[in-house]
Amino acid sequence: MSGLPNIDASKLTVTLTTAPKEVCDLEELDFKNFTDHMMCIRYTEDNGWEAPEIKPYGPLQIDPAAFVLNYSVETFEGMKAYKAADGTINLFRPDKNMQRLATSSQRIMLPQFDQDQFLQCIKELIK
C-alpha cells in the first residue's frame, strides 16, 4: 500500500434521507427496488481514500473522462444481507466478499483498500 490515507471507518459521516421509501412486500422484492441510502468513498491519486459517507440514494457525479467510462475499468462484488427472525441484519460471509473485491481490484490495478475498515462502513450502511 502507498503512503496515502486508507479507508478509515471512524471518519464515516451519515446523512439520512428526509423522504424514506415505503418498504415493499417480500413478494414484490426484485432488482428494481433500491435502498434509501448509498455509501461513497472518493479516491484521488493525490489524497488517497477520503472520508467515507453514507448519504441519500441519488445520481453519481462522474467525470466524462473517467476510466470506467472510457476503458471499462471497474469491479463489482455482490454481498448478501438478510434479516433474521430476531430482527437483526446478517451478512453472508462478508470476509470472502472483501477478499474477492480486493483481489479483483488488484488485478485491474485499482487502489488497494483496508478490507476491515471498508466492511465496517458497509455494516453501518445496512443497519
Side-chain angles (χ1 to χ4, degrees), residues 16-30:
L16 297 178
T17 183
T18 57
K21 299 174 191 158
E22 203 170 302
V23 177
C24 69
D25 292 329
L26 288 178
E27 295 79 35
E28 298 173 18
L29 189 62
D30 59 21

Side-chain angles (χ1 to χ4, degrees), residues 64-122:
F67 274 25
V68 69
L69 299 176
N70 291 285
Y71 302 104
S72 297
V73 179
E74 60 160 309
T75 185
F76 174 83
E77 178 62 35
M79 183 179 291
K80 293 168 184 63
Y82 58 94
K83 189 179 259 187
D86 65 359
T88 59
I89 299 175
N90 298 302
L91 295 172
F92 179 72
R93 297 176 19 184
D95 56 322
K96 300 294 184 190
N97 291 93
M98 292 297 101
Q99 290 170 0
R100 284 191 299 268
L101 183 59
T103 299
S104 297
S105 296
Q106 183 179 21
R107 285 181 179 157
I108 60 175
M109 300 180 73
L110 289 176
Q112 295 180 14
F113 60 93
D114 184 305
Q115 296 175 36
D116 293 330
Q117 291 293 304
F118 186 45
L119 183 55
Q120 288 305 313
C121 293
I122 290 171

